[in-house]
């Protein structure tokens, strides 16, 4: 790497990290304020809220990285241009393509960091944060008013409560035959997953339906084999955008095997793949500012523009995900369209600046 490339990489990387830390501090402050109302619920105190906020920081880092890359690159390029360093490099023969390649190398490293955080750090940290919060507040997780509902082949499972350690309370299993006739209803007070044997249900009442009659069995304990497992429960307790690719793939497979719609999770899967690459789009968007008249334009205005562009990108990401799920669009198209639109806008801006 040449000396000027190392210099630009150092300045841009430092600016991105500084912006990211500022955003994380700001969001952590607001998250902490949001937890104040929960103090005193169960054993929930300020130290638990602090732990909850800290555990959510990897997820915040994943969300904010593209915006930090955009604003940090804008700031660094504006500062370099204000001191005429970009101008000197351009006069010395540095082309726009060469500068863009250097910025892509920097953004590529941050893209890799974003992927690693989103895949291996943020999901378990988010789950740990939720478990800490629920445990200390003495609450359980409900998916619907009637509890959590899951389909497993010919069975429909209703779980009233899912505890933070993935134990179940208030389980009801409706088992149907191949003609969609109800065969049995199993009620259990509690269930605990014991690998590799499956679920151990306690205080079981099983009602077996025959033609015109019913037989009731009461068992203190029963073994229950099901595709439902703690990993799937963990998936159901978080939004698709917070899941890892492994969990998304496993749950999408589970839905497909049970002939259920997977479009929402397919879109989330492709967003997870494409989202880290948004950093490359962000540096491409920032580059046109390096060819403008910097002495006439303040850095604050560029940063404000970067914030607006970043917010617009985030909104379009959410919008196309929802539209794709509603209209059954191609998951890849729904996930890639915002990045493609912004990359096209960046290319147009670079072409316009070069013409000037």
């Amino acid at each position: 790497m040449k000396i000027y490339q190392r210099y630009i990489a150092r300045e841009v990387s430092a600016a991105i990290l500084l912006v990211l830390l500022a955003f994380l501090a700001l969001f952590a402050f607001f998250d902490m304020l949001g937890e104040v109302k929960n103090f005193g619920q169960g054993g929930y105190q300020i130290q638990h809220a602090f732990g909850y906020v800290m555990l959510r920081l990897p997820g915040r880092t994943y969300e904010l990285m593209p915006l930090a890359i955009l604003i940090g690159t804008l700031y660094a390029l504006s500062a370099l241009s204000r001191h005429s360093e970009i101008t000197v490099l351009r006069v010395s023969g540095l082309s726009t393509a060469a500068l863009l390649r250097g910025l892509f190398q920097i953004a590529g490293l941050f893209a890799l960091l974003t992927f690693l955080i989103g895949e291996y750090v943020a999901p378990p940290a988010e789950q740990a944060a939720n478990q800490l919060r629920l445990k200390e507040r003495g609450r359980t997780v409900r998916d619907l008013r009637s509890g959590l509902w899951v389909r497993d082949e010919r069975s429909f499972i209703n779980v009233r409560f899912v505890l933070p350690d993935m134990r179940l309370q208030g389980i009801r299993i409706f088992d149907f035959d191949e003609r969609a006739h109800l065969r049995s209803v199993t009620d259990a007070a509690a269930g605990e997953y014991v690998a590799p044997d499956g679920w151990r249900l306690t205080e079981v009442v099983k009602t077996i339906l025959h033609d015109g009659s019913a037989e009731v069995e009461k068992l203190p304990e029963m073994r229950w084999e099901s595709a439902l497992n703690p990993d799937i429960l963990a998936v159901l307790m978080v939004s698709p955008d917070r899941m890892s690719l492994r969990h998304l793939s496993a749950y999408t497979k589970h839905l497909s095997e049970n002939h259920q719609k997977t479009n929402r999770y397919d879109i989330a899967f492709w967003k997870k793949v494409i989202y880290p690459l948004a950093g490359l789009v962000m540096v491409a968007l920032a580059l046109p500012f390096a060819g403008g008249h910097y002495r006439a334009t303040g850095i604050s205005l560029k940063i404000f523009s970067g914030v607006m562009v970043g917010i617009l990108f985030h909104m379009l990401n959410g919008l196309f995900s929802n539209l794709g799920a509603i209209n059954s669009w191609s998951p890849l198209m729904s996930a890639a369209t915002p990045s493609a639109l912004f990359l096209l806008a960046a290319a147009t801006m670079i072409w316009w600046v070069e013409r000037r």
Side-chain angles (χ1 to χ4, degrees), residues 21-31:
L21 288 175
F23 273 124
L24 288 177
L26 181 64
F27 275 82
F29 174 73
F30 284 120
D31 284 344

Side-chain angles (χ1 to χ4, degrees), residues 231-253:
D231 285 340
I232 291 176
L233 286 174
V235 167
L236 292 171
M237 290 169 61
V238 298
S239 65
D241 291 337
R242 301 280 185 171
M243 302 176 196
S244 66
L245 288 173
R246 179 174 61 87
H247 279 153
L248 278 169
S249 179
Y251 189 57
T252 301
K253 182 180 178 182

Side-chain angles (χ1 to χ4, degrees), residues 18-192:
L18 181 63
V19 171
L20 181 61
L21 288 175
F23 273 124
L24 288 177
L26 181 64
F27 275 82
F29 174 73
F30 284 120
D31 284 344
M32 197 68 183
L33 288 181
E35 292 301 303
V36 170
K37 63 180 183 295
N38 298 320
F39 290 173
Q41 295 183 10
Y44 198 69
Q45 301 297 332
I46 187 170
Q47 65 270 23
H48 304 126
F50 183 78
Y52 171 77
V53 171
M54 291 298 104
L55 286 169
R56 293 200 69 199
L57 286 182
R60 292 293 190 193
T61 301
Y62 179 80
E63 293 174 356
L64 295 169
M65 187 67 81
L67 182 58
I69 291 173
L70 175 61
I71 297 175
T73 306
L74 279 172
Y75 177 82
L77 292 180
S78 299
L80 291 173
S81 297
R82 185 180 59 182
H83 297 108
S84 301
E85 291 167 293
I86 292 290
T87 303
V88 171
L89 289 173
R90 297 301 295 269
V91 170
S92 302
L94 179 65
S95 65
T96 300
L99 180 57
L100 186 60
R101 283 196 300 270
L103 293 176
F104 276 164
Q105 291 175 1
I106 302 166
L109 294 175
F110 281 100
L112 177 61
L113 179 62
T114 303
F115 174 79
L116 294 175
I117 292 174
E119 182 67 13
Y120 299 107
V121 182
E126 191 79 19
Q127 186 175 0
N130 291 334
Q131 289 180 352
L132 171 66
R133 192 185 191 200
L134 292 167
K135 180 181 178 181
E136 298 303 332
R137 292 173 65 186
R139 294 187 176 183
T140 54
V141 180
R142 292 190 182 191
D143 190 60
L144 298 173
R145 182 174 297 180
S146 58
L148 183 69
W149 286 90
V150 181
R151 180 182 174 183
D152 182 12
E153 296 183 352
R154 295 196 188 102
S155 298
F156 289 85
I157 305 155
N158 175 226
V159 180
R160 294 290 298 178
F161 301 102
V162 181
L163 300 177
D165 58 359
M166 296 303 168
R167 287 184 294 117
L168 311 179
Q169 290 184 345
I171 306 160
R172 176 167 288 183
I173 306 166
F174 300 88
D175 187 32
F176 292 83
D177 62 19
E178 61 276 1
R179 294 177 298 173
H181 293 159
L182 184 62
R183 293 191 303 188
S184 66
V185 179
T186 303
D187 290 278
E192 182 178 3

Side-chain angles (χ1 to χ4, degrees), residues 195-211:
D197 298 325
W199 294 94
R200 185 177 65 221
L201 307 182
T202 56
E203 298 181 34
V204 180
V205 177
K206 186 172 184 178
T207 305
I208 303 173
L209 303 177
H210 304 287
D211 292 334

